[in-house]
Amino acid sequence: MVTRNDPKAGPTRDYSLILPRSPILSSFGSCWEKVQLALHCQPAHHIPEHRSSHHVICINTGAPVTLQQTVDGKSKTTDSVPRDISIYPAHLWQTFQWDREASFLQLYLEPTLLSQAGAELCDREQIELIPQLASRFDPLIYEIAIALKTSLDTENADSKLYADAMANALAAHLITHYSTQKPIMQNHKGRLSKTHLDRVIDYIYAYLDRNLSLAELADIAQLSPYHFARAFKQSTGISPHQFHIRCRIDHAKQLLLDRKSSIADVAYAVGFANQGHLNYHFKRRVGMTPKQFLQQ
């Protein structure tokens, strides 16, 4: 579940110890696997030398701040402004210090995520990210980060497929623009075969109440998650996450019309964490709430 102001929240035990305040919002403890998110508001602070087991992307979401950084023996002082991003590869010794209260959003990527994407894009699993310490703005990274935050806020436990898709897109972008490897340009515009598409759709309908992952759907189609997401969208016109939500809403409409269950029970039956999440997605797709739908 989403963690708000939980003193135990944090990407690793050492992070929860060295930051003065717990995150305002965190995905740790949720269903997300390859990417995690934490939104912070921290006072002026010095983080001693440490190594992270994750690749970390830090985005300034507040006021300008002077940031002193040392990563892998290289030091840089930066005047960070809102929307600035920094990239800190996993397993490098690093230390940080800032001079005033700072608000920032951090994304933590499992190294295996980049290894899997690297095998697809570069035909190699050993991906070396280049630290990014200078002030810079990357609109795609920023939009992915904000989209993940919004998904965590609105969907919470129902956001696994979406988080998987965003993580894959982020990994491909990092490898393309911030690694020592160069992607092998390949054209992967093919669709899923009818057999594989039917199997995936049948599986989605059979397990509407489960929080499906991109990897398990990709296994059915015998593709990597990276290529499956693109092939599925080529085949259906929408992403696996959007298709999953659409199937849940369509089934919810049938259950509501049967008038045998309460709206809350319908929400649980089709896999939403609660009635509020059903209301949110139902109104977006149908144009009205479940209660209004029943009244009509």
Side-chain angles (χ1 to χ4, degrees):
M1 59 185 293
V2 177
T3 304
R4 296 178 185 273
N5 296 321
D6 180 354
K8 296 180 181 179
T12 60
R13 187 175 299 170
D14 57 335
Y15 264 73
S16 64
L17 291 173
I18 61 182
L19 288 175
R21 302 172 185 162
S22 59
I24 299 170
L25 175 70
S26 171
S27 65
F28 292 91
S30 74
C31 57
W32 294 9
E33 295 177 346
K34 298 299 184 181
V35 62
Q36 301 293 343
L37 175 151
L39 180 64
H40 289 277
C41 181
Q42 300 289 346
H45 188 61
H46 172 255
I47 298 180
E49 193 172 44
H50 66 284
R51 288 192 296 182
S52 173
S53 59
H54 299 77
H55 301 302
V56 180
I57 299 174
C58 184
I59 303 169
N60 185 339
T61 56
V65 62
T66 299
L67 177 63
Q68 298 176 22
Q69 315 159 80
T70 300
V71 177
D72 200 25
K74 298 177 181 178
S75 298
K76 188 173 186 63
T77 298
T78 301
D79 290 323
S80 176
V81 299
R83 298 191 174 196
D84 269 358
I85 71 150
S86 302
I87 300 174
Y88 308 113
H91 309 305
L92 298 182
W93 287 105
Q94 47 198 286
T95 182
F96 305 99
Q97 182 171 324
W98 54 95
D99 63 341
R100 68 198 71 178
E101 185 166 271
S103 296
F104 51 95
L105 189 155
Q106 288 185 303
L107 298 177
Y108 304 88
L109 283 79
E110 292 282 353
T112 54
L113 172 67
L114 268 69
S115 297
Q116 292 166 358
E120 298 289 339
L121 294 172
C122 310
D123 198 26
R124 60 182 300 177
E125 295 184 358
Q126 296 300 319
I127 298 298
E128 182 182 351
L129 287 183
I130 303 170
Q132 303 296 317
L133 310 185
S135 178
R136 68 168 59 236
F137 172 61
D138 186 309
L140 182 58
I141 291 179
Y142 181 81
E143 291 301 328
I144 288 176
I146 296 303
L148 284 169
K149 175 185 173 296
T150 301
S151 177
L152 194 61
D153 267 328
T154 58
E155 297 183 55
N156 193 357
D158 303 319
S159 57
K160 187 174 186 178
L161 263 178
Y162 187 76
D164 285 350
M166 291 294 100
N168 276 282
L170 184 56
H173 183 70
L174 291 174
I175 292 171
T176 302
H177 297 282
Y178 300 104
S179 80
T180 57
Q181 288 74 32
K182 296 299 179 184
I184 301 171
M185 300 307 294
Q186 300 180 31
N187 186 2
H188 292 286
K189 295 185 178 180
R191 302 185 178 198
L192 295 175
S193 69
K194 185 178 185 306
T195 299
H196 283 150
L197 180 60
D198 287 345
R199 287 176 181 171
V200 171
I201 292 175
D202 288 345
Y203 188 86
I204 289 174
Y205 271 108
Y207 297 104
L208 279 181
D209 60 336
R210 277 181 45 189
N211 207 349
L212 302 176
S213 70
L214 194 63
E216 64 182 297
L217 296 182
D219 283 344
I220 296 170
Q222 300 177 354
L223 290 172
S224 69
Y226 180 81
H227 288 143
F228 168 75
R230 286 154 179 75
F232 187 91
K233 190 168 184 178
Q234 285 287 327
S235 303
T236 63
I238 57 178
S239 70
H241 171 258
Q242 292 171 321
F243 189 88
H244 191 213
I245 295 296
R246 188 176 76 179
C247 293
R248 282 178 164 178
I249 296 303
D250 288 346
H251 189 48
K253 289 166 67 176
Q254 296 174 11
L255 294 178
L256 288 169
L257 290 174
D258 287 342
R259 298 182 181 274
K260 295 179 181 178
S261 305
S262 67
I263 296 176
D265 287 341
V266 168
Y268 295 128
V270 300
F272 289 111
N274 53 52
Q275 184 175 333
H277 288 163
L278 171 63
N279 289 344
Y280 173 79
H281 288 292
F282 198 98
K283 188 169 185 179
R284 290 186 68 187
R285 174 155 178 81
V286 183
M288 64 187 78
T289 65
K291 184 175 180 180
Q292 292 168 334
F293 176 78
L294 283 174
Q295 290 172 345
Q296 277 201 344

